[in-house]
Amino acid sequence: MTASVFFGCTFIAFGPAIALFLFTIARDPLRVIFLIAGAFFWLVSLLLSSLVWFISVQISNKESAPQQRGLLIFGVVLSVLLQELFRFGYYKLLKKANEGLLALSQEETMPISIRQLAYVSGLGFGFMSGAFSVINILADSVGPGTVGIHGDSQHYFLSSAFMTMAIILLHMFWGVVFFDACEKKRWWCLVIVVASHLLVSCLTFQNPYYVGSLVPTYIIMFLMGVWAFCCAGGSLRNLKLCLTCKDKDFLLANHRPR
Amino acid sequence: MTTSDSEEDSYDERSALMSSETPPVPSYQPEQSDPDPSAQGPVLRRPKSSERGPGPEAELDEEEELTLKYGAKHVIMLFIPVTLCMVVVVATIKSIGFYTEKTNQRLIYTPFSEDEVSVGRRLLNSFLNSIVMISVIVVMTIFLVMLYKYRCYKFIHGWLILSSLMLLFWFSYLYLGELFKNYNLAMDFPTVGVLIWNFGAVGMICIHWKGPLQLQQAYLIIISALMALVFIKYLPEWSTWVILGAISIYDLVAVLSPKGPLRMLVETAQERNEPIFPALIYSSGMAWMVGMANPAEERRQQSDAEAQEAGGSLGAEDSPDPPAGAQGACPSGEDQEEESGVKLGLGDFIFYSVLVGKAAATGGDWNTTLACFVAILIGLCLTLLLLAIFKKALPALPISIAFGLVFYFSTDYLVQPFMDNLATNQYYI
């Protein structure tokens, strides 16, 4: 336990996200700001859903365990719906801000495109969601203790870390697909995004039966990843060009020889 | 035992300048009158000014685009030190138990104890404590502004030097002592003496005289963190929250109202074309070069001079005559870039860190700390946005502290039970 579990789980949970941040976002101040704003929006959505849950718990019967469980499930569903609502709200806010800036400056191009904003805001949501899910658990894993001493699963930390990584990446993919769907007014895509988010959350109700929750979550993550890749303009051809370092536009943009 | 007066003085000076002061308008404007395509400088600026000729529309466009791009850069230039300060404070709070131990010692500025049984009594005492504290701050600020107005510079400098001496030597010695105690490291006095002497001496030179900008920034962050830790330790629980709220309101009033002491301080400094004391302000950038010495561009020279003095000179000089410096040099006729930064008062750093540190200290919960951290950063971002819109000195505390307080209480009481329940059952949202 302790240090090795802590570092291992931290890197599993946050490794891809931090790598993405360092390589694509950290250099551009505008993207960092929108990332933090995205995190803030997620936080506000969580606050509202916790408020509703808290009130419902206060007026309910605190002794009855099934009722509390039911309320918790209700809280989860409400939270997912509110998160997606706030994602939509963030999209609207960004569109308005971008339009305002465009009108004021009479530029042909905006300093940051809506696709970059989709990626950055999705990652912001993901960071905050992942952090809130797992940081307390990681902090506990540093100290002494025995995992599952009361008969619970031994794999609590590891499964939490893997789930968190999936959720962070999923938020990023959802962000890209969501904004793209809003741009192109494809409302069925929005419904699918919300439905998949609900599905992933509801799958976790099966924990500690991790096979039932982690495996489908990762499958959904891969599917969403492919979909987001296509929405962002990727294709097999692009991928091949990129991997064989023959993509001329990319090389030009990064000042490398062809 | 209570801490001595000069520590409070230093606190008051820092809190006295709780505004984030902007360089005057011209530093956000590009060199409009003479777009020189051959001039070196950030690539962002030049292409636009060379494509369009000078004219009012071009100025407005460039101004807007530059405001956005430079605005984002300045926001990040402030995010990083604020984050660093908070990280230092939170790391110390979480690892060194000394700063979260219950103590019966109190500062003389919070004379009412909070060991009361009844909630009402305790609340009353914390309000009284905050009233005492705020009155002390108001008195000290007005005293400082009076001294500044009547040009008692020697007194002010002496006061500042004394307070930085105390922070850099004494408080860092105490901090080092607690650090060694916590990690059970054996250390001898001569080594500690050498360490503290070097640390303090270099700090004094960097802050009050000249030094590399980054070293000066690092020292300012360190002394803000030390000050914040003292507050976290010695201010009673409820009083801290009430004081944070009250000080935000005071900041709002002091900076925005026409007779506010901080506003008078900033205006007097701008009138006299002097930088505000380096020991009280964190400056994120430096003014580089000088404008052209061309009499036809009087306004630009003026703006350069102001921008240079407000942006902070290289290092930490109290440059006595920036206008002379701005206009005298460089008759080569080539436009040179100036890059002035945004300034934030050290009191802002201290109170942000107090909020986050107190959130980390009460309860073992990291979610609250993280929520307060994000809230404060977003508040700072909004404040800087307002700064870019209004282009005058604004208080940096109210929005951030308001967000921070709201998120602290709501996360602690509402979100925490929800997330705890979710984590117990391993449900994910």
Side-chain angles (χ1 to χ4, degrees):
Chain A
M1 263 233 349
T2 63
S4 57
V5 169
F6 170 71
F7 281 111
C9 288
T10 307
F11 291 141
I12 290 176
F14 290 112
I18 293 186
L20 283 167
F21 176 77
L22 282 177
F23 288 126
T24 57
I25 298 183
R27 301 222 173 248
D28 188 353
L30 212 50
R31 291 183 201 167
V32 175
I33 295 174
F34 283 118
L35 182 99
I36 299 184
F40 181 71
F41 268 72
W42 187 89
L43 198 58
V44 177
S45 82
L46 178 68
L47 196 68
L48 286 178
S49 53
S50 314
L51 179 66
V52 173
W53 175 82
F54 189 76
I55 294 176
S56 67
V57 162
Q58 295 303 318
I59 62 180
S60 76
N61 175 14
K62 291 199 190 157
E63 306 302 318
S64 141
Q67 202 183 45
Q68 294 303 309
R69 189 160 182 271
L71 279 178
L72 199 59
I73 292 179
F74 161 69
V76 168
V77 172
L78 178 70
S79 178
V80 169
L81 293 174
L82 272 177
Q83 282 176 48
E84 297 303 327
L85 189 68
F86 269 77
R87 207 196 294 274
F88 186 68
Y90 194 38
Y91 166 75
K92 282 285 177 204
L93 182 71
L94 288 176
K95 283 295 275 187
K96 228 180 235 173
N98 258 343
E99 276 164 9
L101 281 168
L102 209 58
L104 276 176
S105 66
Q106 296 167 5
E107 293 284 319
E108 314 89 46
T109 54
M110 307 188 285
I112 184 168
S113 74
I114 197 78
R115 277 189 181 158
Q116 287 178 15
L117 282 174
Y119 162 64
V120 160
S121 71
L123 198 56
F125 268 58
F127 258 122
M128 212 53 187
S129 170
F132 261 66
S133 307
V134 97
I135 286 228
N136 277 330
I137 298 175
L138 287 177
D140 284 338
S141 75
V142 182
T146 307
V147 190
I149 196 170
H150 291 296
D152 301 307
S153 162
Q154 298 282 313
H155 305 297
Y156 184 76
F157 289 129
L158 210 55
S159 64
S160 300
F162 275 107
M163 192 70 198
T164 307
M165 174 173 88
I167 294 267
I168 296 179
L169 292 176
L170 268 171
H171 267 291
M172 187 182 76
F173 298 144
W174 282 326
V176 172
V177 176
F178 195 96
F179 277 43
D180 187 65
C182 288
E183 285 284 298
K184 299 192 177 129
K185 307 262 186 263
R186 289 192 199 143
W187 307 117
W188 56 273
C189 291
L190 277 191
V191 171
I192 295 186
V193 166
V194 177
S196 66
H197 194 170
L198 269 175
L199 181 63
V200 168
S201 284
C202 294
L203 281 172
T204 63
F205 295 155
Q206 298 175 54
N207 281 335
Y209 180 57
Y210 296 127
V211 178
S213 70
L214 275 178
V215 173
T217 305
Y218 271 81
I219 295 175
I220 294 179
M221 185 184 88
F222 279 117
L223 291 173
M224 289 300 304
V226 170
W227 191 6
F229 182 67
C230 296
C231 278
S235 62
L236 270 180
R237 190 180 148 272
N238 275 351
L239 194 58
K240 214 165 55 166
L241 284 178
C242 173
L243 289 176
T244 53
C245 292
K246 290 208 176 68
D247 188 350
K248 298 205 177 79
D249 299 324
F250 179 77
L251 291 173
L252 269 177
N254 284 288
H255 307 296
R256 291 205 201 119
R258 298 180 201 214
Chain B
M1 186 203 65
T2 55
T3 46
S4 71
D5 271 347
S6 48
E7 169 241 286
E8 260 317 296
D9 298 349
S10 71
Y11 148 69
D12 289 318
E13 281 128 33
R14 277 152 190 87
S15 66
L17 282 164
M18 286 175 289
S19 56
S20 68
E21 285 141 88
T22 171
V25 177
S27 68
Y28 271 116
Q29 286 173 357
E31 286 72 38
Q32 309 151 357
S33 42
D34 196 354
D36 185 356
S38 67
Q40 309 306 311
V43 183
L44 300 167
R45 275 180 149 175
R46 283 303 140 195
K48 293 303 158 197
S49 58
S50 53
E51 276 164 24
R52 307 162 201 252
E57 309 93 46
E59 289 166 19
L60 190 60
D61 301 340
E62 285 174 43
E63 185 177 327
E64 287 301 329
E65 177 186 330
L66 283 166
T67 306
L68 180 66
K69 286 190 174 137
Y70 276 79
K73 196 154 161 243
H74 290 145
V75 170
I76 298 298
M77 287 202 288
L78 281 183
F79 270 10
I80 295 179
V82 168
T83 309
L84 278 174
C85 193
M86 289 199 247
V87 162
V88 168
V89 169
V90 170
T92 308
I93 295 269
K94 288 285 186 185
S95 57
I96 300 181
F98 172 71
Y99 290 101
T100 47
E101 275 166 11
K102 280 275 157 224
T103 171
N104 281 326
Q105 299 167 1
R106 280 192 307 277
L107 299 173
I108 55 172
Y109 309 97
T110 51
F112 299 92
S113 99
E114 276 192 16
D115 291 331
E116 306 292 328
V117 177
S118 78
V119 171
R121 190 77 219 198
R122 193 171 174 188
L123 202 59
L124 180 69
N125 277 355
S126 48
F127 270 102
L128 291 172
N129 275 337
S130 73
I131 290 177
V132 171
M133 183 75 123
I134 300 287
S135 348
V136 168
I137 293 174
V138 171
V139 163
M140 288 289 177
T141 313
I142 294 183
F143 185 48
L144 179 74
V145 174
M146 286 294 123
L147 284 177
Y148 190 66
K149 243 185 140 113
Y150 295 117
R151 299 180 187 262
C152 308
Y153 293 139
K154 283 205 165 38
F155 192 95
I156 296 180
H157 280 129
W159 185 5
L160 288 178
I161 287 179
L162 218 64
S163 65
S164 345
L165 259 175
M166 208 184 59
L167 269 174
L168 282 170
F169 286 98
W170 190 27
F171 282 4
S172 54
Y173 168 70
L174 292 176
Y175 180 82
L176 209 58
E178 289 308 319
L179 194 68
F180 290 144
K181 265 190 241 171
N182 195 52
Y183 290 109
N184 208 15
L185 295 172
M187 184 60 73
D188 55 306
F189 275 114
T191 312
V192 168
V194 167
L195 278 172
I196 297 288
W197 169 251
N198 279 309
F199 177 76
V202 175
M204 290 301 292
I205 293 175
C206 268
I207 295 176
H208 290 283
W209 193 48
K210 296 191 224 284
L213 181 68
Q214 292 196 321
L215 199 56
Q216 185 203 12
Q217 291 174 339
Y219 269 105
L220 290 174
I221 293 176
I222 290 174
I223 59 179
S224 307
L226 285 174
M227 200 72 221
L229 284 168
V230 166
F231 279 138
I232 294 174
K233 179 158 177 71
Y234 288 112
L235 287 179
E237 284 255 354
W238 291 18
S239 306
T240 314
W241 303 115
V242 181
I243 286 175
L244 277 172
I247 239 178
S248 312
I249 299 176
Y250 164 70
D251 194 21
L252 197 63
V253 166
V255 174
L256 291 181
S257 80
K259 282 295 162 195
L262 295 181
R263 183 168 170 160
M264 281 175 19
L265 186 68
V266 172
E267 281 172 0
T268 319
Q270 282 176 357
E271 267 171 45
R272 297 183 193 167
N273 268 331
E274 284 165 4
I276 308 207
F277 325 106
L280 300 174
I281 299 273
Y282 176 95
S283 162
S284 59
M286 47 179 160
W288 281 37
M289 257 95 40
V290 187
M292 297 203 286
N294 186 345
E297 301 182 40
E298 206 55 54
R299 185 171 156 267
R300 238 196 100 244
Q301 280 178 340
Q302 188 69 22
S303 73
D304 280 345
E306 286 170 10
Q308 191 193 47
E309 66 85 7
S313 14
L314 265 158
E317 347 180 10
D318 267 349
S319 54
D321 48 354
Q327 290 161 12
C330 211
S332 60
E334 196 180 79
D335 260 11
Q336 285 175 318
E337 280 309 312
E338 69 185 38
E339 190 175 328
S340 43
V342 186
K343 294 173 166 211
L344 193 61
L346 283 194
D348 298 324
F349 277 86
I350 294 176
F351 285 108
Y352 293 160
S353 307
V354 167
L355 195 147
V356 176
K358 216 49 180 183
T362 55
D365 184 38
W366 286 92
N367 286 347
T368 316
T369 314
L370 198 59
C372 291
F373 168 70
V374 172
I376 287 182
L377 285 188
I378 292 290
L380 189 59
C381 194
L382 284 174
T383 309
L384 288 169
L385 189 68
L386 287 177
L387 194 68
I389 296 177
F390 290 114
K391 298 200 200 323
K392 59 175 198 159
L394 286 180
L397 277 185
I399 303 183
S400 289
I401 299 283
F403 277 2
L405 288 175
V406 164
F407 275 87
Y408 171 74
F409 287 110
S410 52
T411 311
D412 211 22
Y413 292 112
L414 299 176
V415 176
Q416 205 32 51
F418 186 46
M419 296 306 294
D420 269 344
N421 272 316
L422 290 178
T424 316
N425 295 310
Q426 257 188 321
Y427 294 170
Y428 280 79
I429 52 172

